[in-house]
Amino acid sequence: MKKKHVIPVAVLSSALLMGTVSPAQTLAVSPNANTEVVQKKVHSEGKGKPFFVKQMQSEKQKSADGKNAKEFLNKNKAKFKMDKPEESLESTKVTKDELGMTHVKLQQKKNNIPVEGNEVTVHYSSDNRVQSVSGQFNEAIEKEGLPSKASLSASESIKLAKKAVEAPDQLVESPDSELVYYSFQGENHLAYKVNVNFLGDSPGNWSVYVDANSGEVIDQYNKIMHAQDYKSSKGSGIGVLGDQLQLHITHKNDKSVRPGTNFYLFDNSHEDLEGIYTYDMKNQWGESDLQFPGVLFSSPNASFKDSYDRPAVDAHYNSEEVYDYYLEEHDRNSIDGEGMAIKSSVHFGEDYNNAFWNGEQMTYGDGDGEFFVPLSAGLDVAAHEMTHGVTTYSAGLKYRFQSGALNEAFSDIFGALVDEEDWEIGEDIMAEDARESGRTSLRSLSNPSKYAVGSKYTEYGDGNGKYPSHMDEYYDLPKDLDNGGVHINSSIINHAAYLTGEQIGKDKLGQIYYRALTVYLTPDSDFSHARESLIQSAVDLYGENSAEAQATEDGLNQVGITE
Ligand SMILES: [Zn+2]
């Protein structure tokens, strides 16, 4: 009997490839290839449907500010399915971007209490005309008769939250408790959002949602971990493919690891970044003995050269490369844009042929040695996984059907932009046997159809059984097969990006796709919404009739995304 391993996920798990089938039918399926990636409810569940309305052609307003944005929404409220926008929205942030556009962010409120996760942004052109409106607005909460008063006190909510996360008596700071309306799994609650932050054996910085009347804990998640007392140093190592790499590491004395000074794959050298951490899962599945993220990868000296060290060396080095890419190209400080810690775990499971982002961190298997080598060897794989994080903290694309395929596509596209030599994904992680059988990468943006998708998917496509590169070859998959084709239909978007990139180059392609991901796309965006968002981003950056906007549109037209 094969043991079924269930990967614990915090928020949202996005794997590098389809979870239940070996990517190439001709190769032996590894004993653990049936590892399932469990899809837990996404935190954005139950939000209002995202929208993006453009070409509003509004009158010129005196200024681009919260008051005028609300007035505008009020005039157009039927279009936005809002009942009382002036009452239900509160301006929270006004930002002017490098193009002279102003973005006015408004938080949805009810009874003066924020509706968690629902906000609307009014985008103004430089001459103060409303150019577009995007965001999410929960109509149900606006209309529903929900309680406005809590029968539970804030201090009672804190007690319940601390109990739910098994917090010790000693906390880093006294917990905050704030009333919000929270929509989870289809139900709307008046809830306390409680922050509980503590150190100790398993430190935590938790957000816990407690129903303000029943006292039920609705939802909870852990946000960050901190490490202290580590001193920076330089180290070196050898990667999976034999590269000699310089590393940022730290050291400290910790007898519980081994006597004397220990060196860690923990990089605290970047200002305003909480650190880059690489952990060892010791070939465990994160079930009983060793919980995520594992133990911080360590060595008795500053040189990480054992064969067991190699996947960790690559994960650590590649994380910093991807961090540098986002900082230098997009002025984005880490995954959340605010310097959150970048964490990876290596040696996950046994012969595990996959890598994933679990909502908080990257995780890499060692591969079975026949199809894959340790998956952290691929810079594009690291960029793919980290981009899932960027997506979580920006567009929040839901991991199913077209929004999920967009989520996967943005990860592949930024994979190919960071690892910029080619338009292939995974060319550095293919093992000898796979290469010999003609599988030289995992997916191709330039020619998706050179690889087969796997026989169980074939009947849902055009019968060809290849990755699609056009809407005519779209796979109409049910949700229980690859979450409705997230790793398959993504290749249509991948190919559109390639076609555009060939015209304007990778740098400009990156600017356009990054702007769409972080400014316009929302959790339920589909391919058509992506088309509008991408073209609008290119117009914002390079102008209405620019070659860049034309190339963006061309790429999408050529793959059959024409409206
Ligand atoms: Zn992925």
Side-chain angles (χ1 to χ4, degrees), residues 14-16 384-385 388 399 408 411 443 487:
S14 325
L16 183 67
H384 177 108
E385 300 310 333
H388 278 311
Y399 204 59
E408 270 300 316
S411 277
R443 285 186 288 272
H487 294 93

Side-chain angles (χ1 to χ4, degrees), residues 22 138 221 361 374 474 533:
S22 171
N138 192 319
Y221 59 93
Q361 65 159 94
Y474 189 85
S533 303

Side-chain angles (χ1 to χ4, degrees), residues 228-431:
Q228 292 158 347
D229 313 323
Y230 291 85
K231 297 200 175 57
S232 296
S233 58
K234 289 252 166 73
S236 64
I238 299 178
V240 171
L241 305 176
D243 303 305
Q244 300 267 355
L245 300 167
Q246 301 300 312
L247 302 169
H248 285 118
I249 61 173
T250 44
H251 62 86
K252 75 165 187 173
N253 286 317
D254 183 353
K255 279 191 216 116
S256 72
V257 179
R258 58 176 86 74
T261 303
N262 288 292
F263 294 81
Y264 299 89
L265 295 183
F266 162 40
D267 170 1
N268 63 4
S269 68
H270 302 266
E271 219 182 308
D272 301 326
L273 175 67
E274 283 176 7
I276 298 173
Y277 299 76
T278 302
Y279 296 91
D280 185 2
M281 280 301 292
K282 301 184 171 183
N283 297 114
Q284 305 287 309
W285 296 92
E287 287 170 324
S288 48
D289 298 353
L290 186 61
Q291 299 294 317
F292 265 100
V295 298
L296 199 54
F297 209 100
S298 69
S299 162
N301 54 58
S303 146
F304 291 75
K305 288 186 175 152
D306 291 350
S307 64
Y308 188 80
D309 297 342
R310 295 181 177 195
V313 167
D314 276 336
H316 200 63
Y317 184 84
N318 287 336
S319 292
E320 188 174 11
E321 290 281 295
V322 182
Y323 170 76
D324 286 344
Y325 168 83
Y326 274 106
L327 187 66
E328 284 160 21
E329 288 293 314
H330 304 297
D331 199 23
R332 184 182 188 88
N333 181 14
S334 186
I335 290 165
D336 65 348
E338 293 176 6
M340 81 178 254
I342 296 168
K343 298 185 214 166
S344 310
S345 299
V346 297
H347 294 308
F348 172 75
E350 289 168 47
D351 298 331
Y352 180 62
N353 266 341
N354 217 333
F356 60 90
W357 161 261
N358 78 344
E360 294 183 351
Q361 65 159 94
M362 281 86 70
T363 308
Y364 300 98
D366 287 337
D368 61 4
E370 291 180 7
F371 194 75
F372 286 140
V373 301
L375 282 92
S376 56
L379 175 58
D380 49 11
V381 176
H384 177 108
E385 300 310 333
M386 243 167 99
T387 302
H388 278 311
V390 172
T391 300
T392 302
Y393 284 92
S394 54
L397 291 160
K398 287 184 185 165
Y399 204 59
R400 51 185 175 250
F401 300 115
Q402 286 198 1
S403 57
L406 287 168
N407 191 323
E408 270 300 316
F410 276 83
S411 277
D412 275 356
I413 292 162
F414 283 101
L417 292 175
V418 176
D419 187 11
E420 60 187 349
E421 281 149 41
D422 52 54
W423 292 98
E424 305 291 297
I425 297 296
E427 71 281 359
D428 293 325
I429 59 168
M430 308 313 294

